[in-house]
Amino acid sequence: MEPDLSALGHLGNTSVVGLQWGDEGKGKIVDLLTGQFDYAVRWNGGSNAGHSVQVGAVKYAFHLIPSGILHPHCICVLANGVVIDPIQLVQEIDALAGQGLELRDKLRISSQAHVVLPHHKLQDQLSEGRLGNQRLGTTARGIGPCYADKALRAGALRMADLIDEDRLRSRLPVIVSEKNRLLQRLYDAEPLAWEPIFEQYRGCAEQLREHVCDTTDLLQEAWRNHRRLLFEGANAVLLDLDHGTFPFVTSSNCGTGLSAGAGVPGAALTSILGVAKAYCTRVGAGPFPTEQNNAIGEHLRQRGHEYGTTTGRPRRCGWLDLVALRYAVRVCGVTGLCLMLLDVLSGMDALRLCTAYRHAGRYTEGFPPDAYDLARAEPVYETLPGWSESLEDTTRRADLPANARRYLERIEAFVQTPIRMVSVGAARHQTMTC
Ligand code: GDP
Ligand code: IMO
Ligand code: MG
């Protein structure tokens, strides 16, 4: 059974972004909306993302492939701003082929997207190991080192280099040798040999070559021809390199940055849908004012199955932080909210919402941009009554228990943004539109 999305009306070019610390349910929303779109575009991040889509009894976990892939008519694009681990991408393509999904005419990969190399993953792990209890808790997918090399330029490899065997053969030995010098001196690492990397990456290039093109041109052409574009943000605003809880962030812009990552100006968008859980989670280190390191957090983790899609790590859980949510909405210019996992809150007597912080003796409704300050901010809570009914079968917002409706209304009033979708289960049909 498919949900009735008619209340959303006609969505023009739309961006879907995560508003918290990731794993809000972006994959589910993108899968649902893709039926209305011609292109589904990833424009940031890499295989640190883990986007789950559940169709009937089948569960998919996408790391690089856009979550729109299950819709046969839709072209899926990995644009310039994505960092691509070719080994992971080939694995995902093969796994989908094993499930009967052939990507030949559906996948386009930017020739200008940067390639994650084995030394990026190694450097990520070694750096985290060296930092000890000051580690960031990265996904160890080589994301930070790859984006760093992109910014440094000299040691970087792009998809255009990967699929041209001569270029790969001439660039790789230089890149690997430079990186070996660095990793040996910094971490006493064993040097990597470039030849096996060349062989493995040449094999991946064989499989990926047919998908590689100028995706900026492709998307510009599609936009001019009034084709419908859906952009899938990876990671989330509070993990954004410039606007998140630095340094406990990822290495790309996640809420902001779409025009750089996709080569399509923000003016092309008519809707920006922000995805948020009805509570908060975070994986990895960093401040989380409303974290419940107690029975409440454990209850949310068990009910919400809060374990990472990419790393399997238990997610830290806590109350919904409206101060952080409003900040994220404003930074991205969100036009509508998708509120996810509302079902998880059923059965709790009272629900707390953070509406301000107390910090250094002061009361503030603003989100401190500095992680050090945020770590010391004490949440100020409002308490709303909970509801006991299970929500999994509810199909209209008006049919939700009165206290659940009150919870949604309080969120809208605080954040000053309408809720357009409410999700009460992982399945497609467990979604209401408003
Ligand atoms: P993403 O990274 O933002 O795409 O989110 P993830 O896929 O990493 O994590 C969201 C998890 O919540 C996935 O396991 C989804 O299947 C699941 N999920 C999505 N929406 C709902 C919902 O409304 N209720 C419940 N219980 N689970 C949901
Ligand atoms: P999706 O798209 C949750 C977190 C990591 C770590 C920090 C830096 O599934 O929502 P990185 O490997 O990017 O250098 O890690 O960012 N992180 C995510 N957490 N969901 C994600 O993506 C994440 N992407 C990165 O846990 O704290
Ligand atoms: Mg995820």
Side-chain angles (χ1 to χ4, degrees):
M1 193 172 60
E2 296 295 315
D4 176 13
L5 300 180
S6 58
L8 289 177
H10 170 78
L11 290 172
N13 297 332
T14 296
S15 159
V16 173
V17 291
L19 295 177
Q20 294 160 321
W21 283 286
D23 305 325
E24 297 89 352
K26 299 174 290 292
K28 170 173 170 169
I29 294 297
V30 168
D31 167 66
L32 274 176
L33 295 180
T34 303
Q36 301 185 32
F37 289 87
D38 303 305
Y39 290 80
V41 185
R42 275 280 305 269
W43 52 271
N44 78 307
S47 53
N48 51 353
H51 296 178
S52 322
V53 175
Q54 189 174 317
V55 185
V58 187
K59 284 186 184 165
Y60 300 88
F62 301 116
H63 299 282
L64 281 165
I65 299 278
S67 304
I69 198 73
L70 302 175
H71 295 263
H73 70 279
C74 183
I75 303 284
C76 288
V77 179
L78 299 179
N80 300 27
V82 180
V83 288
I84 296 177
D85 178 344
I87 301 168
Q88 168 72 41
L89 182 54
V90 164
Q91 271 172 15
E92 270 187 57
I93 292 173
D94 288 348
L96 285 171
Q99 291 171 293
L101 228 104
E102 200 47 69
L103 302 194
R104 180 140 299 131
D105 302 322
K106 288 172 53 76
L107 182 65
R108 306 281 190 281
I109 305 169
S110 170
S111 53
Q112 294 169 75
H114 281 251
V115 174
V116 175
L117 287 156
H119 53 251
H120 292 135
K121 290 181 264 190
L122 180 63
Q123 190 176 354
D124 201 349
Q125 285 157 26
L126 291 170
S127 161
E128 285 282 273
R130 184 60 65 85
L131 284 169
N133 63 10
Q134 303 227 358
R135 73 174 70 87
L136 305 176
T138 74
T139 59
R141 299 296 191 267
I143 305 299
C146 185
Y147 276 118
D149 280 345
K150 173 178 173 175
L152 279 172
R153 293 148 297 161
L157 193 84
R158 307 211 288 186
M159 287 304 294
D161 304 312
L162 178 78
I163 59 166
D164 178 331
E165 198 172 315
D166 291 339
R167 269 153 80 166
L168 185 63
R169 196 188 297 276
S170 77
R171 303 259 305 116
L172 201 58
V174 181
I175 292 174
V176 173
S177 145
E178 274 300 292
K179 199 53 104 170
N180 277 339
R181 283 160 58 83
L182 187 81
L183 296 182
Q184 279 176 295
R185 282 166 180 73
L186 267 179
Y187 303 111
D188 295 324
E190 287 295 315
L192 299 171
W194 72 270
E195 294 89 344
I197 303 175
F198 175 74
E199 286 308 325
Q200 190 178 27
Y201 276 58
R202 180 168 67 167
C204 293
E206 283 303 310
Q207 266 186 270
L208 299 179
R209 187 172 291 110
E210 63 176 327
H211 302 289
V212 177
C213 66
D214 179 346
T215 57
T216 301
D217 188 49
L218 178 83
L219 294 172
Q220 286 284 339
E221 179 78 7
W223 181 33
R224 273 198 301 278
N225 289 324
H226 307 289
R227 308 301 298 278
R228 294 156 306 171
L229 311 178
L230 179 64
F231 296 91
E232 176 177 4
N235 329 124
V237 181
L238 302 180
L239 294 169
D240 183 291
L241 181 58
D242 286 299
H243 302 286
T245 52
F246 190 91
F248 302 101
V249 293
T250 189
S251 299
S252 72
N253 289 119
C254 310
T256 63
L258 185 148
S259 59
V264 175
L269 298 175
T270 53
S271 312
I272 301 175
L273 292 178
V275 188
K277 288 183 185 181
Y279 49 98
C280 276
T281 64
R282 175 164 207 169
V283 262
F288 179 178
T290 61
E291 180 171 15
Q292 296 299 299
N293 205 353
N294 54 29
I296 294 168
E298 189 54 34
H299 174 81
L300 292 170
R301 187 174 306 115
Q302 294 315 325
R303 278 208 50 125
H305 307 291
E306 294 293 0
Y307 295 88
T309 310
T310 300
T311 58
R313 290 178 291 180
R315 295 176 183 143
R316 300 157 62 193
C317 297
W319 297 117
L320 183 58
D321 185 338
L322 290 179
V323 178
L325 187 64
R326 182 167 63 188
Y327 165 79
V329 161
R330 289 179 178 173
V331 166
C332 299
V334 166
T335 56
L337 291 170
C338 305
L339 197 81
M340 315 299 288
L341 295 109
L342 188 65
D343 52 298
V344 171
L345 299 183
S346 289
M348 298 178 90
D349 291 338
L351 301 168
R352 302 182 95 186
L353 288 167
C354 169
T355 52
Y357 301 132
R358 214 169 269 114
H359 176 242
R362 283 182 48 231
Y363 171 93
T364 172
E365 288 189 7
F367 187 72
D370 186 86
Y372 184 85
D373 289 338
L374 187 63
R376 281 151 192 80
E378 277 177 42
V380 177
Y381 288 112
E382 234 175 70
T383 303
L384 291 185
W387 57 91
S388 56
E389 299 89 330
S390 112
L391 308 184
E392 278 91 348
D393 298 323
T394 314
T395 53
R396 294 184 332 138
R397 179 170 170 173
D399 295 337
L400 287 168
N403 285 345
R405 281 187 274 124
R406 196 179 304 173
Y407 191 72
L408 300 185
E409 282 156 17
R410 183 65 188 118
I411 294 169
E412 285 176 317
F414 191 93
V415 177
Q416 294 174 316
T417 308
I419 294 175
R420 305 299 314 278
M421 300 174 89
V422 179
S423 176
V424 289
R428 281 176 171 170
H429 71 271
Q430 292 175 306
T431 320
M432 303 161 225
T433 54
C434 359

